[in-house]
Amino acid sequence: MKSILKLSVIAGIVIFITSYGILYIAVRLFPTFFTDYFSPVFHSDGSRDIFFYLHPFVLSLAMSVLWNRFKNLFHGSIWFRGFEFGALYAGIALIPVMWITYSAVDVSLTMVLSWLAYGFFQSVMAGILFARLDP
């Protein structure tokens, strides 16, 4: 349990920093893409913003449990193991969630596909960290 929590915290910090850095750069490079986020659907009163910022840590905890259980199934370099882990996570978690989101919420397909790519990147990054720190 201690190694899972340690991996979760490390991965959470790395995912937090890189994800928000990438979002900051993406908004600067593709401002028209992000105009869809001016929809009232994406505005909150601020009372739940902490959940948004805690997301990388919740995500990394879930992925570290998955890694701990199935790490012996991934073989090859840390890069390949990370990619394979990211593909597994995307297949069992991201695609079903993006499917239901697209079918139930008024968001564009481009937006949902960007969320899928973003989540895949996060899970590959976590997989590489896990393969490096807990082979």
Side-chain angles (χ1 to χ4, degrees):
M1 185 64 166
K2 186 177 178 182
S3 68
I4 290 174
L5 292 176
K6 181 181 175 184
L7 286 176
S8 297
V9 170
I10 293 169
I13 291 168
V14 171
I15 290 171
F16 181 89
I17 292 168
T18 56
S19 294
Y20 294 113
I22 289 169
L23 280 175
Y24 180 81
I25 292 168
V27 168
R28 298 290 183 256
L29 293 177
F30 309 106
T32 55
F33 176 77
F34 290 92
T35 57
D36 289 343
Y37 289 97
F38 291 118
S39 165
V41 172
F42 296 106
H43 293 295
S44 72
D45 63 1
S47 65
R48 298 176 301 174
D49 288 355
I50 188 68
F51 294 113
F52 180 80
Y53 294 107
L54 288 176
H55 173 263
F57 298 96
V58 173
L59 176 65
S60 65
L61 177 61
M63 288 192 294
S64 66
V65 169
L66 185 68
W67 176 262
N68 189 55
R69 178 68 175 93
F70 296 105
K71 67 183 172 186
N72 296 331
L73 299 177
F74 304 114
H75 303 287
S77 70
I78 63 170
W79 303 102
F80 185 76
R81 292 174 77 195
F83 180 83
E84 195 174 22
F85 178 80
L88 173 72
Y89 182 78
I92 63 172
L94 294 175
I95 290 174
V97 167
M98 293 301 114
W99 184 281
I100 195 66
T101 300
Y102 182 67
S103 67
V105 181
D106 188 22
V107 292
S108 69
L109 181 60
T110 306
M111 187 178 288
V112 169
L113 291 175
S114 73
W115 293 342
L116 179 62
Y118 184 63
F120 177 69
F121 172 77
Q122 289 176 320
S123 60
V124 168
M125 188 171 32
I128 291 168
L129 278 170
F130 297 156
R132 174 87 170 118
L133 299 174
D134 184 27

